[in-house]
Amino acid sequence: MSSSLPSTPETPAAAPAPGPAFSPLYQQIKGLILQSLEAGEWRPGELIPSEMELAARFRVSQGTVRKAIDELAAENLVMRRQGKGTFVATHAAQQVQYRFLKLHPDAGDVQEEGRAQRHIIDCKRVRAPAEIARLLQLRSGDAAMQVRRVLAFVGTPTILEDIWLPGQAFKGLTAEQIGAYQGPTYAMFELEYGVRMVRAEEKIRAVLPDAEQAELLQVSTSTPLLSVERVAYTYNDVPMELRRGLYRTDTHHYRNALN
């Protein structure tokens, strides 16, 4: 994919996408870089062109490109590595593996605790119920993948998750594939399906489990659990996952860093 702006060094003819009447030039460059990321020109974990190369490509100054990349880095879409360049962010990278995992052990940290043991209860292709279709911006009755699993830490079942994914984007997903993948699930989505989750929104409340949920988490039905509903989005705010989790908090807590 090749994108460029007109020949006047700092005055593009038009913004890359519909928007306000005026958009700062670095925002327009950011939009063009985002288009390339969305189109898969540079894959997760890959090095993107240097600021000098991008400045020549878009016919703008390096300072303009740098400001655009600053914003992309702040949004966790790219990662700068000192002396190496700028890379497309990936959930496979050690420093971002736990970006969307907010449940932390009361003693120690996530890395010391180690990878969760995954028990896949179900993985099937279904017609999306109306509520699920609405949250994933599908038509009611469109195909969806439904996954139910339990995540255990140090042998203790701690999280019960129900995951819904657009059926077209995740066609062929199997329980064996999810269970066997050694890295983060979002990294598998990137590698196997070309879907990168770039941000998420969550709703949290306290609930009591029903009998089935209590049995899977090995708690009583009177045990309070943390209910976390997450919608994860890929580029351009396209929802690609609905995840509903029930979290035990007797040995863990939900932690969020506010910037």
Side-chain angles (χ1 to χ4, degrees):
M1 176 178 177
S2 177
S3 300
S4 63
L5 294 176
S7 57
T8 303
E10 292 287 309
T11 310
F22 171 78
S23 177
L25 183 58
Y26 79 90
Q27 288 280 357
Q28 299 178 43
I29 301 305
K30 175 186 174 184
L32 290 174
I33 296 173
L34 187 59
Q35 284 179 14
S36 292
L37 290 170
E38 184 181 13
E41 180 177 349
W42 314 304
R43 306 293 293 168
E46 286 184 355
L47 179 70
I48 72 171
S50 68
E51 290 177 2
M52 183 180 297
E53 290 171 316
L54 290 172
R57 170 174 171 170
F58 297 131
R59 302 178 187 176
V60 296
S61 70
Q62 280 184 246
T64 298
V65 171
R66 185 174 302 116
K67 194 168 183 180
I69 291 177
D70 282 344
E71 285 210 353
L72 292 168
E75 295 170 9
N76 296 298
L77 297 178
V78 298
M79 296 167 39
R80 281 196 169 99
R81 295 179 187 166
Q82 189 68 32
K84 295 184 178 180
T86 302
F87 295 77
V88 182
T90 170
H91 287 279
Q94 187 66 34
Q95 58 265 53
V96 296
Q97 278 190 9
Y98 303 108
R99 181 178 161 216
F100 287 175
L101 178 59
K102 302 297 185 180
L103 199 68
H104 292 255
D106 292 338
D109 60 33
V110 174
Q111 293 188 7
E112 290 175 356
E113 187 175 46
R115 178 175 175 266
Q117 300 87 53
R118 302 168 184 167
H119 171 52
I120 311 301
I121 299 168
D122 206 357
C123 178
K124 58 188 178 183
R125 190 175 178 89
V126 299
R127 291 187 179 277
E131 181 191 14
I132 305 300
R134 177 179 60 81
L135 291 170
L136 290 178
Q137 295 181 9
L138 303 173
R139 294 187 301 270
S140 185
D142 275 0
M145 297 302 301
Q146 181 183 4
V147 180
R148 170 169 270 207
R149 68 180 184 178
V150 172
L151 304 182
F153 294 96
V154 198
T156 301
T158 306
I159 304 174
L160 170 62
E161 288 185 324
D162 286 294
I163 301 172
W164 297 81
L165 304 162
Q168 187 61 35
F170 291 91
K171 190 174 183 179
L173 182 68
T174 65
E176 292 75 19
Q177 184 181 27
I178 298 172
Y181 190 78
Q182 295 298 304
T185 302
Y186 286 153
M188 185 197 74
F189 290 167
E190 289 178 1
L191 179 66
E192 302 293 338
Y193 297 94
V195 175
R196 177 158 191 274
M197 307 301 184
V198 300
R199 73 175 191 89
E201 295 179 357
E202 291 186 337
K203 296 179 181 178
I204 304 173
R205 58 169 55 94
V207 300
L208 293 176
D210 61 28
E212 181 182 8
Q213 293 165 343
E215 181 180 0
L216 289 169
L217 286 174
Q218 297 179 12
V219 297
S220 73
T221 54
S222 61
T223 302
L225 301 174
L226 200 61
S227 168
V228 180
E229 178 179 287
R230 174 193 303 163
V231 179
Y233 299 83
T234 188
Y235 299 109
N236 285 326
D237 284 340
V238 178
M240 294 298 287
E241 179 201 52
L242 169 63
R243 185 179 299 212
R244 289 173 170 162
L246 291 179
Y247 293 19
R248 283 179 58 168
T249 58
D250 49 341
T251 58
H252 289 71
H253 59 274
Y254 188 94
R255 185 173 73 191
N256 196 15
L258 304 177
N259 297 322

